[in-house]
Amino acid sequence: MVPSLLLVPFLLVLMQSGALCARRFRGGRNSQPRRSPPPPTHRADRGDTTESFPLDFTAVEENMDNFMTQVKNLAQSLYPCSAQKLDHDMKLNFLVNTSVTCNDGSPAGYVAVHIRAQTRGWYCFNKENCDSRYETMRRFMSSSKWPQTKRGTGILSPLPEENPHWWNANMVFIPYCSSDVWSGVTAKTEQNGYAFMGSLIIQEVVKNLLGKGLDNARVLLLAGSSAGGTGVLLNVDRVAELLEGMGYAGIQVRGLSDSGWFLDNKQYHCTDCVDTIGCTPTETIKRGIKYWGSVVPDRCRQSHEGEEWNCFFGYRVFPSIKSPVFVVQWLFDEAQLTMDNIQLTGQPVQEGQWRYIQNLGIELRNTLKDVPAMFAPACLSHEVITRNYWIDVQVKGTSLPRALHCWDRSLHDSRNNKPPPKACPVHLIDNCPWPHCNPTCPTIRDQFTGQEMSVVQFLMHMGFDVQKMAQQQGMDPSKLLGMLSSGS
């Protein structure tokens, strides 16, 4: 879409960094060598001041692949021009309003390069586990050890071959240091010992950026992974309302929620609620929302008055959100399985656990069916938009960057009273029934050996009974194994 190249958007991403716990299976494709950007070519060396880039926009709907190739070629040809002024490293900035802080009272902030955007984290819900978190995961509660720069990957990459649609967007990474799923508005006091100001941090970053180019933007994309993905659902309308109230109603605010669509389902094995891992998702949020002094979207709060914890679960809050939101969700999310007490370590998964995992995929699929813009691969993983392999995963032949491009273009066309583009899908969900039945899923590695596992090896470890499944499908076991090995 032309505007995405000519009108540089703002990308504000909320992310969760670090693993939730020790996990046996780690996602991630083998890293492929990336082509280095060409050296800058200065206009003075050529003696001219004009450049032209052939780009044919005719019959785009009928030839989308050719169009995307041309867009990528244009991006790569433009890249040397912008590379003269841009550094790949994103630089640390603290908030002007020093009253908005991390948990321990240290100043909150953001990391930017020529103004670019993002955030990451999990949570604690009482003084005991917050004290423990502060001792073991201080980077999620304090800015005292933040690095001065950060290198962007995935959707934050400045390289067009890694980030074909938003490589030259203005990006801002907001480190997660509030432990409240970006929902709190509570300052630190002697009584509570910690500040919980996640929602205010987002608001203050947006205010700071208005004097640095955001006031001239057409689009602000608030994106996040894991706790940040939930934070997007909680804050996207608040950001839109903030900008409108400050006289910037012309900035289109959109959301991108990655791996933040959790279910408030019953755990496979119930345990005492003593920490964030052992508690049910519902109980954790019920306790946290009081401790954090959380705010939730007004329309959702009105629908669940007295039970505002419901608004932390995607399928419950989504119907109340007014801003456009694109949802990215693995159907077999590792964080969800961890909260449900499914441990993918040690002995092979038992039949009851295997059935529970399959049912989780069915439940997630059902909650996503009415979401107009979404990307849901049948993979066992967690987070994707800032991973190097985010361009490799596909659903029904469409990659995530292309689906996001189609979504961006459909929103633009809708505002201009144009019909949606053809052959440009935005509602993509796998139908196959078990983890990693999609052949483009991230590579599975055994955490202890580091060795790659084939789909067959993975399913056998998961307790997959090839003989029984083949009998149910009415086929020869060897044929089923062949289909699994080929990703059919």
Side-chain angles (χ1 to χ4, degrees), residues 230-296:
T230 305
V232 168
L233 301 175
L234 294 173
N235 287 282
V236 64
D237 279 350
R238 288 176 60 81
V239 170
E241 291 162 4
L242 170 68
L243 289 173
E244 184 176 0
M246 296 181 70
Y248 297 98
I251 300 176
Q252 304 164 37
V253 178
R254 303 170 185 170
L256 171 57
S257 175
D258 166 30
S259 302
W261 189 276
F262 295 106
L263 300 182
D264 52 342
N265 54 345
K266 184 179 179 181
Q267 291 176 310
Y268 173 73
H269 175 64
C270 296
T271 56
D272 293 334
C273 182
V274 293
D275 55 32
T276 56
I277 301 301
C279 290
T280 65
T282 299
E283 186 59 32
T284 299
I285 297 301
K286 282 182 177 179
R287 297 186 184 194
I289 199 171
K290 295 178 181 178
Y291 191 57
W292 306 325
S294 299
V295 292
V296 299

